Amino acid sequence: LDTPQERRAGGPRAPPPPWFPPANDSDQTGLRVTNSLTGAKELFKCASGRRVHWYTCGPTVYDVAHMGHARAYLTFDILRRVMEDYFGYEVLYQINITDIDDKIILRARRNKLLDDYRAANHPFEEARVFAEAAAAAYDAKMKAKGAALEEPLPPTATPIEAAERDELKEVHKLKMKQWQDTSDAIAAAAAAGDASALIAAAAEPIADRLDAELGSTVSDQSIFEAHARRYEREFLDDMAALGVRPPNLMTRVTEYVPETVAFVEGIVAKGLAYESNGSVYMDTEALKASGHSYRKLEPAVGDATESQMSEGEGVLGAGGDKRNKNDFALWKASKAGEPSWESPWGPGRPGWHIECSVMASATLGNNMDIHAGGSDLKFPHHDNELAQSEAYHGCRQWVNYFWHAGHLNIKGHKMSKSLKNFITIRQALEDLHHSPRQIRLMFLLQGWDKAMQYSDQTIGSAKATEKRLKDFFGSVKAARRADWLGGRTVYGEEEAKLAAAIAAFQRNTHAQLLDNFNTAAVMVGVLELVDTVNKYLGVNEAGAAASKPGVLLAVNAAMAVTRILRVFGVSEQDDFGMPLGGGGGAGDEGDGESREKMAEPFADAIVKFRDAVRERAKETKDHALLALCDRLRDTDLTTLGVRVEDPVGDAKASVWRLDDPATLLRELEERRAAQRAKEVAKARNRLVEKEKELDKMSAASVPPGDYFSQGKYAQKFSAFDQETGIPQKDAEGNALTKTALKAAMKDFEEHKKQHKVFQQRVEANATYLEDLRAQIAALQLEVGPGAEQPR
């Protein structure tokens, strides 16, 4: 297959069906955005005026949100902000909450059964037998799946099925490795004899077995609702922590069930859907025969694969007989142990795809400007959405622009819960200490519609960018605080170049945002302008800036950078960037008193005083006073959120700026940890040297006359010269050969030299060996756990 689209779509990609641009020509920005309906950058036009109707597929709330979710929702938050705050569109933004789904049903049911099992307090032996049986069954199931994947494909298999098989094999290898780790943990817990630890380690296979045996008995619908509400709230909390703007509308599937039933009835009435065993399916052949296009986003020659269709149907299936393998469930008959609602076809629940069609239609009508979601949703979810919506409304184009955010990959695989290769948003924020700003910058530095890697390199690049921006704003503010009015204010060649660079930055920013929201190129321009301003100001390594006549131009550049960062959601407060109010006077901070403006006289005074004290302490070599200066910088001012950087090179004054206290304290701890690591490494090297010295001198302490009767020579000889102690016979009583005697004499001479060294050291220090052991013990304490005890 030639392209990723062909590999996913099921064979050679067919030409896309006709796309109909909105007829509104009254107000165009010139914005061109990649439209998944055509695969090309299309001129964006609202259906009506400048009001944008935008629907984004929300989360299926069965578990915690991970960084893959952040990739999608932060990306669309950035695009939405650009639409609203830069281009001035009036956006009505809707997301849904999928609060009933096969994944939710299984997870809620299994959690309930597992909690009940824990509460029963089974004796350890009973729990062990059950857990090991469950693990054995789970292991057999995993191995059977692996064996099935190794079975040869039939000769009629399509290229997509071959490519899909290879991908599934790789994924299964990863899952088998994860299962082996789980198996090891189960064995360790069983050996330890701890029932609670065993149940925790074997939770997945135990829950799997319990669900197979008792899942049908879970009939309380509130169990599924409570599960969904918990993770819905956590998702919204995570979005707030990331700084994602709340939607204008948020709709839940369970609150639109009557509308769903009516929607499905409407499609059935047109002869484009049919009932089977209590489920209702979309008739894709009838749909195409009626003049509609099917698979608009990933048009392909040939049918969808079994794997693709099962992905759309869900793990619990729909239970009916389909007329065509491409048909998909609009309404699913519910079995025992599954939530249900009444319908003309019997108890059931909405299919996965129908929910978005129903909720978006209920709020946005029979046409919307933008539909967005992750690129993995193109087929089957979004293609099926389009099919059923256009069937219901009888229209040829339900969505004008489909936008798909690129995947977030980790170690070569898409981040997903099924692969257990995900990092939750809370882990990223709380455990890995990635700030919301750093995560947002990481996505801004990548193409919004392209796959990207989540790695130390990508987050490291975001952190480095954040630091460059912080240093830049600090330098410009320091230059403005300086007495620049006391010097020349001539507008010369350098100032003209700087003014031209600012104007070019603004033109380039506009052009790049018009070109498919190219935030990565905008950020390149931001950093280029930062470098230009720093060069103009003559910023040194400590961030100090020389006095220049164009300080106001530098402030203007910093405000231009701040404006675009505000649009992107990177800078929403005056503590990052330049205040954007306006009198324009020397030292003006904008309308109102900013936190920095209030702190400025106090911070200036204390930093200048510290510089004077520090300079005097350096002249007099007063190390205690220098330590106090460091404490003021690293502890007192850090706690207050004031970053102070000592002068470097010819600079005389320290540079200060406000920063997040938690960030400053974390950086301080990281520096201290790095210094501690260096000290420990040095101590470890000294420890190795001292231990070698102890071994060597302990051996050398043996009197030469006793050398061959102990240590490495113990019991190797049976007769010795009574005066010298040199061996005469080996352990069996045989006279030593000339060669053996020569080797022994050579070793003996070397030992006498070392013994002499030992005697000299003892003469100089009678407690030499005891002192050496004490030094080793002290070094072992410094190095920490893992060091050997002194000999």
Side-chain angles (χ1 to χ4, degrees):
L1 297 176
D2 295 328
T3 67
Q5 290 84 2
E6 289 180 3
R7 286 193 294 272
R8 180 170 174 81
R13 187 175 172 87
W19 175 69
F20 307 97
N24 176 21
D25 293 322
S26 61
D27 187 13
Q28 296 181 24
T29 60
L31 171 65
R32 289 187 176 274
V33 189
T34 298
N35 186 357
S36 299
L37 288 165
T38 65
K41 294 178 186 177
E42 303 291 354
L43 182 66
F44 180 79
K45 295 189 290 185
C46 297
S48 176
R50 293 183 60 79
R51 184 169 175 81
V52 178
H53 286 176
W54 182 340
Y55 181 92
T56 293
C57 280
T60 299
V61 284
Y62 77 98
D63 204 342
V64 292
H66 56 64
M67 287 297 292
H69 297 108
R71 166 61 168 164
Y73 298 113
L74 253 180
T75 292
F76 294 130
D77 181 69
I78 292 167
L79 270 54
R80 177 188 175 191
R81 287 169 182 267
V82 174
M83 294 284 283
E84 291 178 332
D85 300 348
Y86 187 85
F87 290 119
Y89 287 103
E90 182 185 352
V91 177
L92 180 65
Y93 189 80
Q94 177 185 3
I95 71 164
N96 73 289
I97 298 292
T98 298
D99 60 347
I100 191 62
D101 174 86
D102 288 7
K103 293 176 181 177
I104 295 173
I105 295 169
L106 275 178
R107 183 63 61 86
R109 202 165 68 189
R110 289 177 176 181
N111 285 355
K112 163 66 175 170
L113 294 170
L114 190 61
D115 287 345
D116 290 348
Y117 185 80
R118 285 194 181 99
N121 293 319
H122 295 279
F124 170 75
E125 187 58 26
E126 183 180 321
R128 183 190 65 77
V129 171
F130 189 84
E132 290 180 351
Y138 194 89
D139 183 71
K141 184 169 69 172
M142 292 288 287
K143 288 177 178 175
K145 185 173 182 179
L149 289 173
E150 294 299 330
E151 289 291 327
L153 287 167
T156 56
T158 63
I160 180 62
E161 288 173 321
E164 188 177 74
R165 174 66 66 87
D166 290 340
E167 183 178 352
L168 289 173
K169 284 180 181 179
E170 288 301 312
V171 169
H172 190 70
K173 285 179 183 177
L174 176 61
K175 290 184 175 181
M176 283 300 294
K177 182 180 182 305
Q178 293 168 342
W179 168 239
Q180 184 58 55
D181 293 340
T182 300
S183 298
D184 294 343
I186 293 171
D194 186 335
S196 61
L198 176 61
I199 294 171
E204 188 169 6
I206 288 176
D208 193 60
R209 179 178 177 182
L210 289 171
D211 189 67
E213 295 176 357
L214 303 170
S216 60
T217 67
V218 180
S219 57
D220 185 352
Q221 199 142 317
S222 67
I223 292 171
F224 307 106
E225 182 179 356
H227 185 94
R229 292 294 165 269
R230 170 191 170 184
Y231 290 110
E232 174 191 281
R233 185 176 297 278
E234 289 192 14
F235 168 77
L236 294 174
D237 289 345
D238 288 343
M239 293 300 103
L242 291 173
V244 173
R245 281 181 179 170
N248 304 115
L249 302 170
M250 189 186 82
T251 50
R252 296 170 176 149
V253 180
T254 54
E255 295 170 354
Y256 280 80
V257 174
E259 291 84 350
T260 301
V261 171
F263 201 96
V264 175
E265 285 182 309
I267 300 174
V268 171
K270 292 184 177 184
L272 301 179
Y274 57 90
E275 184 271 342
S276 176
N277 298 330
S279 295
V280 180
Y281 292 92
M282 189 78 199
D283 190 333
T284 53
E285 291 301 315
L287 179 75
K288 289 184 284 187
S290 68
H292 289 284
S293 298
Y294 180 55
R295 295 186 68 169
K296 285 186 169 185
L297 293 167
E298 289 195 349
V301 178
D303 292 331
T305 67
E306 182 179 343
S307 176
Q308 288 172 328
M309 293 311 299
S310 64
E311 178 186 347
E313 296 302 321
V315 292
L316 296 177
D321 296 322
K322 299 196 292 186
R323 295 176 183 173
N324 183 284
K325 67 178 296 185
N326 290 329
D327 296 350
F328 55 90
L330 305 178
W331 181 264
K332 301 171 75 169
S334 291
K335 301 182 289 292
E338 300 173 4
S340 66
W341 289 261
E342 288 303 318
S343 79
W345 315 284
R349 61 186 189 279
W352 174 32
H353 317 297
I354 197 72
E355 61 186 59
C356 292
S357 295
V358 172
M359 289 184 285
S361 295
T363 54
L364 304 180
N366 63 1
N367 177 258
M368 72 180 78
D369 297 292
I370 301 167
H371 193 320
S375 59
D376 56 323
L377 296 178
K378 281 185 182 180
F379 183 81
H381 183 53
H382 287 159
D383 266 324
N384 290 353
E385 261 193 75
L386 288 171
Q388 62 205 10
S389 299
E390 291 171 2
Y392 177 81
H393 293 295
C395 64
R396 59 184 181 178
Q397 186 165 292
W398 184 53
V399 173
N400 293 339
Y401 300 89
F402 237 119
W403 294 352
H404 286 100
H407 282 152
L408 184 67
N409 296 324
I410 183 168
K411 295 182 180 179
H413 293 282
K414 186 190 84 169
M415 189 177 290
S416 70
K417 293 191 178 78
S418 64
L419 291 182
K420 301 177 184 176
N421 65 343
F422 62 90
I423 295 170
T424 70
I425 292 172
R426 296 188 182 195
Q427 285 173 332
L429 292 173
E430 297 171 7
D431 299 340
L432 301 179
H433 304 298
H434 302 338
S435 71
R437 181 182 296 134
Q438 290 163 355
I439 294 171
R440 187 174 289 262
L441 282 169
M442 178 175 68
F443 295 139
L444 282 165
L445 293 169
Q446 310 289 327
W448 70 272
D449 55 348
K450 302 293 188 294
M452 63 169 287
Q453 290 292 328
Y454 179 64
S455 63
D456 291 341
Q457 182 178 359
T458 50
I459 194 66
S461 178
K463 289 181 177 180
T465 299
E466 180 189 45
K467 185 178 186 305
R468 286 176 69 182
L469 291 169
K470 282 184 176 181
D471 291 346
F472 165 66
F473 292 130
S475 298
V476 173
K477 291 174 181 178
R480 184 175 56 181
R481 286 195 300 266
D483 185 21
W484 60 273
L485 285 175
R488 289 166 56 82
T489 61
V490 175
Y491 184 83
E493 183 179 351
E494 284 187 87
E495 287 70 38
K497 288 181 179 178
L498 180 55
I502 297 169
F505 164 74
Q506 292 171 322
R507 289 193 302 272
N508 179 67
T509 295
H510 186 70
Q512 297 297 348
L513 290 179
L514 286 175
D515 183 16
N516 198 36
F517 302 107
N518 193 348
T519 62
V522 172
M523 291 305 299
V524 169
V526 164
L527 296 178
E528 287 176 348
L529 183 60
V530 165
D531 290 342
T532 298
V533 175
N534 283 341
K535 184 177 180 181
Y536 170 80
L537 291 176
V539 174
N540 63 28
E541 292 179 12
S547 179
K548 289 277 187 169
V551 166
L552 291 180
L553 276 174
V555 171
N556 182 246
M559 291 177 74
V561 170
T562 300
R563 285 189 188 96
I564 197 60
L565 294 181
R566 291 270 178 102
V567 168
F568 290 160
V570 172
S571 171
E572 294 195 288
Q573 303 295 331
D574 285 351
D575 59 356
F576 190 85
M578 301 296 289
L580 296 180
D588 174 62
E589 289 286 351
D591 298 332
E593 290 280 318
S594 72
R595 190 165 71 95
E596 187 156 340
K597 183 65 175 176
M598 295 173 64
E600 182 176 325
F602 305 102
D604 270 343
I606 193 67
V607 171
K608 287 177 181 177
F609 177 74
R610 176 182 175 274
D611 281 348
V613 172
R614 185 170 178 271
E615 190 62 29
R616 179 62 177 164
K618 288 168 68 178
E619 291 173 359
T620 59
K621 295 182 172 52
D622 190 334
H623 298 294
L625 197 53
L626 283 171
L628 287 174
C629 290
D630 288 346
R631 174 184 166 180
L632 177 63
R633 177 196 63 202
D634 295 338
T635 303
D636 302 324
L637 291 177
T638 289
T639 304
L640 296 173
V642 180
R643 180 191 294 274
V644 178
E645 294 172 344
D646 292 337
V648 175
D650 296 331
K652 299 296 183 183
S654 297
V655 177
W656 69 268
R657 69 168 184 268
L658 298 186
D659 209 329
D660 174 44
T663 299
L664 293 176
L665 289 169
R666 187 163 58 249
E667 289 177 1
L668 178 61
E669 287 305 314
E670 288 171 355
R671 289 196 300 272
R672 286 175 174 170
Q675 181 60 33
R676 169 66 180 154
K678 287 182 180 179
E679 292 171 355
V680 168
K682 289 180 180 179
R684 186 174 285 109
N685 291 336
R686 293 198 305 271
L687 176 61
V688 170
E689 292 173 0
K690 291 295 181 182
E691 287 176 335
K692 287 180 179 178
E693 181 182 352
L694 179 61
D695 289 341
K696 187 175 181 179
M697 289 297 101
S698 294
S701 67
V702 176
D706 297 333
Y707 181 60
F708 290 108
S709 62
Q710 55 184 275
K712 66 180 181 178
Y713 287 117
Q715 298 181 346
K716 287 191 175 182
F717 305 108
S718 59
F720 305 88
D721 185 284
Q722 292 190 358
E723 292 185 9
T724 63
I726 295 173
Q728 302 296 310
K729 295 181 180 180
D730 62 19
E732 286 76 29
N734 301 315
L736 293 182
T737 64
K738 289 183 178 181
T739 302
L741 185 59
K742 183 178 180 181
M745 288 300 298
K746 182 179 180 181
D747 196 14
F748 184 64
E749 291 301 322
E750 178 60 30
H751 177 71
K752 285 198 297 183
K753 290 179 184 178
Q754 293 300 323
H755 184 68
K756 186 175 181 180
V757 171
F758 169 75
Q759 287 179 317
Q760 290 171 345
R761 294 185 181 183
V762 171
E763 287 172 4
N765 177 13
T767 59
Y768 166 67
L769 286 180
E770 289 78 4
D771 292 348
L772 194 55
R773 290 189 180 94
Q775 291 171 27
I776 289 172
L779 286 169
Q780 287 172 336
L781 287 175
E782 190 173 347
V783 169
E788 295 181 6
Q789 293 302 311
R791 296 158 175 79

